[in-house]
Amino acid sequence: ATVQIGGNNVSINLDTDSLQTIAATIDALAGISASVVTTTVDGQTRYQLDISGTTSFTDANNSMRAINTSYSSEKSPGR
């Protein structure tokens, strides 16, 4: 799937890309930062893709929602 972040097209393959790989791809964009952050909710560790440097997102296929970008995610960053 292709999403647009800060005016840049980013290809994401949810079948093969880990959360760390997606973060690194986004982090390589000029002026945009992305990282995987860890939170614990009710004793359960969750991973979240944190993106900063833009508020412009286009995700027609809901790929970023599938990994719960800006929300907690059960997907391990090392997948």
Side-chain angles (χ1 to χ4, degrees), residues 17-20 36 45-47 73-79:
D17 291 344
S18 69
L19 198 54
Q20 287 285 45
V36 177
T45 301
R46 297 175 181 228
Y47 302 92
S73 173
E74 305 265 339
K75 190 176 287 187
S76 168
R79 186 168 86 137

Side-chain angles (χ1 to χ4, degrees), residues 28-70:
L29 301 173
I32 299 174
S33 297
S35 62
V36 177
V37 295
T38 305
T39 59
T40 302
V41 178
D42 296 327
Q44 185 173 19
T45 301
R46 297 175 181 228
Y47 302 92
Q48 176 180 344
L49 183 60
D50 182 50
I51 301 172
S52 60
T54 187
T55 56
S56 173
F57 297 93
T58 303
D59 183 11
N61 295 319
N62 291 320
S63 298
M64 300 301 279
R65 185 170 299 266
I67 59 171
N68 294 321
T69 303
S70 299

Side-chain angles (χ1 to χ4, degrees), residues 7-22:
N8 301 282
N9 288 329
V10 178
S11 294
I12 296 173
N13 185 332
L14 296 177
D15 291 329
T16 60
D17 291 344
S18 69
L19 198 54
Q20 287 285 45
T21 300
I22 295 168

